[in-house]
Amino acid sequence: MKALIAATAMAVLACSGYAQESPVALAEAAVAQFHDAHSRLEAAQSASDRVKALTGVVQAYEEGLEAMRSGLRQVSLREAELSREFADESGQYAQLLGILVGMKPNASPEALVHPSGPLGQARAGMLVASVAPTVQAQVEDMRVRLEEVQILRELQNEALETLSQGLQEVQQARTELSQAMSDRTDLPQRFTTTPERIKTLIDSSETLEAFASGLAVMDVVDGISPLPDLGSAQGSWPMPVPGRMLRNFNEADAAGVKRPGWLWAARPLSLVTTPWPATLRYKGPFLDYGNVIILEPANDVLLILAGLDEVYGDIGAVLPAGTAVGLMGGAAPDLDDFVENAKQGTGVSLSETLYIEVREGGQPVNPEHWFAGAPL
């Protein structure tokens, strides 16, 4: 059925002249992404590196949700556009139907004789011949658009079934990933520290800057698992989580307060990953920052991520690039809310905030020196 819908959709698109990024194409792509994420979730159950597999699964579902939002939105807009067109042209369609009804295929020979004689009959025939192509074109246009409405509705129904399953499975994948991170014992350790030392440092630190500076001078045993050279990595890091800039480096907020980092907006329950191989120096709550992750990608360089809801990993462990270190907060949308917000183009917004700070030699630097495609 899906293949038939896709084939018919492409035929309709060819007739109507729509580009590849049409509502039909977007909806098809969204459904395909969810099917791919489902397959990856099943494969993750037996993966040798389950953490890596589940990280990819969660990211695949997050991309699928984005595609589904866009697809449902465009389908809704296109269906509304077609409805308006039909409403605006209802008078023309009524006349067209009247003409079609008047052209009786079973008319008697007497009915075809024009009352004014052979000349009138010839003129009437010429008139009908000139009108027929226009009528046929309008009929064909109506047929194509009615088929498009039917395809949009069938795709929407399929998308809703896939979405319902996807919303449940992405939450399952997040839960499994959290458990897999807790069970993980295969990562090398660059150092060990005691909870008492961390607690003492937290109690004596009144700012995030003081806490980070204290962590930087704590004893670290180097050489157990050397990290990749960071010298060539400037400007190449991917963002820890998809989103957009809220406040730039040292940009004042509404109260005039400046912070030496970025305030980054993200979607609820988004997965946060490390952009570069790094040692996990700290995870947990700190002051009013919420949960904080402090990563050390090289000596004298710290990456601070604050505002997470959940944090993963063991202090002292060396994390490969792309490793999940936590989740943003927020609530998962239910099916009805997701669909309604997607159609309206509202909701499921970038409501969660992640604070991103990079420190070199104990001093904060603009994160744009490290992250690729740094927003202006």
Side-chain angles (χ1 to χ4, degrees), residues 36 50 56 64 78 83-84 90 140 167 256 263 285-286 300 324 355:
D36 176 63
R50 196 154 183 265
R78 180 57 183 159
S83 296
R84 287 194 300 270
S90 59
E140 181 63 18
L167 287 173
L263 193 63
F286 182 77
D300 293 331
Y355 177 68

Side-chain angles (χ1 to χ4, degrees), residues 135-370:
V135 172
Q136 181 62 35
Q138 292 185 39
V139 170
E140 181 63 18
D141 177 67
M142 185 191 302
R143 182 190 65 80
V144 169
R145 287 190 286 173
L146 287 172
E147 283 185 1
E148 185 181 357
V149 170
Q150 181 64 24
I151 289 169
L152 290 173
R153 289 176 178 172
E154 289 177 357
L155 279 174
Q156 190 172 54
N157 290 337
E158 182 182 357
L160 294 182
E161 293 177 7
T162 307
L163 175 61
S164 178
Q165 180 182 2
L167 287 173
Q168 298 176 35
E169 289 182 351
V170 67
Q171 189 56 40
Q172 174 191 341
R174 291 181 182 125
T175 302
E176 292 184 14
L177 175 60
S178 180
Q179 185 61 50
M181 289 296 296
S182 299
D183 297 341
R184 190 169 198 173
T185 59
D186 61 328
L187 293 177
Q189 296 278 325
R190 285 191 69 215
F191 73 95
T192 57
T193 189
T194 63
E196 290 76 16
R197 291 188 69 187
I198 294 292
K199 186 176 186 309
T200 298
L201 180 59
I202 291 175
D203 292 342
S204 62
S205 301
E206 296 182 356
T207 64
L208 183 59
E209 178 181 2
F211 180 56
S213 298
L215 274 181
V217 299
M218 270 191 172
D219 294 338
V220 175
V221 180
D222 291 319
I224 295 178
S225 180
L227 294 170
D229 179 28
L230 195 62
S232 61
Q234 288 196 11
S236 67
W237 288 358
M239 293 303 299
V241 63
R244 65 175 176 83
M245 180 73 75
L246 281 182
R247 280 197 295 279
N248 217 317
F249 180 73
N250 277 335
E251 181 180 349
D253 61 15
V257 177
K258 297 181 180 180
R259 287 184 175 176
W262 286 349
L263 193 63
W264 187 256
R267 295 193 182 277
L269 301 178
S270 295
L271 191 66
V272 182
T273 59
T274 175
W276 188 260
T279 304
L280 179 57
R281 297 301 307 269
Y282 175 75
K283 71 164 188 177
F286 182 77
L287 299 178
D288 60 345
Y289 285 88
N291 278 321
V292 174
I293 285 280
I294 299 182
L295 302 165
E296 186 178 45
N299 289 337
D300 293 331
V301 178
L302 294 178
L303 171 61
I304 302 168
L305 306 173
L308 296 88
D309 184 63
E310 292 185 43
V311 287
Y312 306 142
D314 296 323
I315 294 177
V318 179
L319 307 178
T323 298
V325 292
L327 283 176
M328 300 304 297
D334 62 26
L335 180 63
D336 292 339
D337 287 343
F338 186 100
V339 173
E340 183 61 29
N341 292 333
K343 290 181 177 180
Q344 297 298 325
T346 60
V348 197
S349 61
L350 304 173
S351 58
E352 305 303 308
T353 55
L354 181 71
Y355 177 68
I356 302 171
E357 184 176 311
V358 180
R359 304 180 72 84
E360 298 179 27
Q363 299 299 315
V365 298
N366 194 327
E368 70 180 7
H369 297 313
W370 292 99

